[in-house]
Structures are given as C-alpha cells and as structure tokens.
Amino acid sequence: MSQTGTLTTEDQDALWEMHQQATDRLTQQMLMEVEQLLRPAITSHISGGGRASHLVVRAGTYEATRKQPWPVRFGADALYVGWEPSGKLSVPSDRIAEIQEILDRLTRLHGGLIAGTDLALQLPSVY
C-alpha cells in the first residue's frame, strides 16, 4: 500500500490473484458436491457405453423467477459427462432441488454469465 493509503498496482494484482484462487477453489468444491450427488447417474451413463473424463455444467438461458432471478445460470438440466451433448446426464428427480441449490451458488459466485459458459471437474479415476 502506498503512503497515501491507496492500493498500488502490485497490491491490486495480488488481491485479484487471491480472489481468483478462492473462486477456483470454491468452484471445484461445489462441483465435487454435485459429482458426489450424481455418482449413480454418472456410473449408469458410463456402464451404458459413455466415456467419463469430466463432469461439465453448462450455463443456459432460463426465465427469471423470484427464487432464481438470473436469466443466465447453471441448471440441473445442463449437466454432462464430457463435453458432447450425447453425455447429457439424467438427474434423479429426488436430487434436482439439492443439485440446483449448489448450481445457484455457483451462478452467484461467477455472476454475469454468458449462455454456453462451461465449468468442468475432472472426474476421479473410480469411473
């Protein structure tokens, strides 16, 4: 910090780097929570001949509601194993609300999303 109390460029850069690292860690943690909840669906997808390298969540455009005011957000209906549309996962109905809650937190964390934005988690070797 400079003697005038303002942040130097180096300070700003350091703060931005810390913010980015924290965002990346939170993103990975939330994606791991989703992966754990979807483990049976991922296993089923793979046993059906699908490949597993990444769990991908893709931002889409939705009608804004009071509960979910973000028109572009991550949704439980846009989860994939891998990057191709053929890897789309069927989320069990008893898990949708819980998974959507996590995805809403991801939406808030990343803010200002553009439709088609992907976040990915490399899947563990158990698959």
Side-chain angles (χ1 to χ4, degrees):
M1 190 175 290
S2 72
Q3 291 180 347
T4 62
T6 59
L7 293 175
T8 64
T9 301
E10 292 82 18
D11 292 336
Q12 290 176 12
D13 290 345
L15 285 172
W16 176 253
E17 182 63 30
M18 288 184 334
H19 167 76
Q20 192 60 48
Q21 289 175 1
T23 298
D24 291 347
R25 280 193 307 272
L26 282 169
T27 297
Q28 291 302 302
Q29 181 182 358
M30 287 185 237
L31 288 173
M32 285 188 286
E33 289 177 43
V34 171
E35 181 268 330
Q36 289 172 354
L37 292 168
L38 286 173
R39 193 163 279 179
I42 294 169
T43 301
S44 175
H45 175 80
I46 293 166
S47 67
R51 294 185 179 185
S53 60
H54 291 84
L55 172 64
V56 177
V57 59
R58 186 163 293 134
T61 304
Y62 298 87
E63 185 175 329
T65 64
R66 182 178 294 248
K67 183 177 179 187
Q68 297 174 331
W70 316 282
V72 177
R73 62 181 181 265
F74 297 115
D77 61 344
L79 291 161
Y80 301 84
V81 173
W83 304 97
E84 300 300 321
S86 62
K88 188 168 184 173
L89 286 171
S90 296
V91 178
S93 59
D94 63 332
R95 295 288 189 182
I96 290 174
E98 191 173 5
I99 289 171
Q100 188 59 55
E101 183 179 317
I102 297 166
L103 297 176
D104 287 346
R105 291 188 345 242
L106 268 174
T107 297
R108 287 191 301 274
L109 178 66
H110 287 272
L113 294 170
I114 298 170
T117 299
D118 290 336
L119 294 177
L121 172 71
Q122 186 164 351
L123 291 171
S125 61
V126 296
Y127 297 106

